[in-house]
Coordinates of all heavy atoms in Angstrom, one line a residue:
H159 N 2.1 2.1 3.2 CA 3.2 1.1 3.2 C 3.8 1.0 1.8 O 3.2 1.1 0.8 CB 2.7 -0.3 3.7 CG 1.7 -1.0 2.8 ND1 2.0 -1.8 1.8 CD2 0.3 -1.0 2.8 CE1 0.9 -2.3 1.2 NE2 -0.1 -1.9 1.8
D260 N -1.6 -1.2 -4.5 CA -1.6 -1.5 -3.1 C -0.1 -1.6 -2.6 O 0.5 -2.6 -2.9 CB -2.3 -2.8 -2.8 CG -2.3 -3.3 -1.4 OD1 -1.8 -2.5 -0.5 OD2 -2.6 -4.4 -1.1
D261 N 0.5 -0.6 -2.1 CA -0.1 0.6 -1.6 C 0.7 1.8 -2.1 O 0.8 2.8 -1.5 CB -0.1 0.6 -0.1 CG -0.9 1.8 0.5 OD1 -1.7 2.4 -0.2 OD2 -0.5 2.2 1.6
E290 N 4.1 -4.4 5.6 CA 2.7 -4.4 5.9 C 2.0 -5.7 5.4 O 1.2 -6.3 6.1 CB 2.0 -3.2 5.2 CG 0.5 -3.0 5.6 CD -0.5 -3.7 4.8 OE1 -0.1 -4.4 3.8 OE2 -1.7 -3.6 5.1
E291 N 2.4 -6.2 4.3 CA 1.8 -7.3 3.7 C 2.0 -8.6 4.4 O 1.4 -9.6 4.2 CB 2.2 -7.5 2.2 CG 1.8 -6.3 1.3 CD 0.3 -6.2 1.0 OE1 -0.5 -7.0 1.5 OE2 -0.1 -5.2 0.3
D313 N -4.5 3.6 2.4 CA -4.4 2.3 1.7 C -5.5 2.0 0.8 O -6.4 2.9 0.7 CB -4.3 1.1 2.8 CG -3.5 -0.1 2.3 OD1 -3.4 -0.3 1.1 OD2 -2.9 -0.8 3.2
V314 N -5.5 1.0 0.0 CA -6.6 0.7 -0.9 C -7.7 -0.1 -0.2 O -7.4 -0.7 0.8 CB -6.1 -0.1 -2.1 CG1 -5.1 0.7 -3.0 CG2 -5.4 -1.4 -1.7
Ligands
ZN296 ZN1 -2.2 -2.4 1.3

Side-chain angles (χ1 to χ4, degrees):
H159 69 88
D260 174 11
D261 185 27
E290 189 269 357
E291 298 290 0
D313 210 331
V314 295

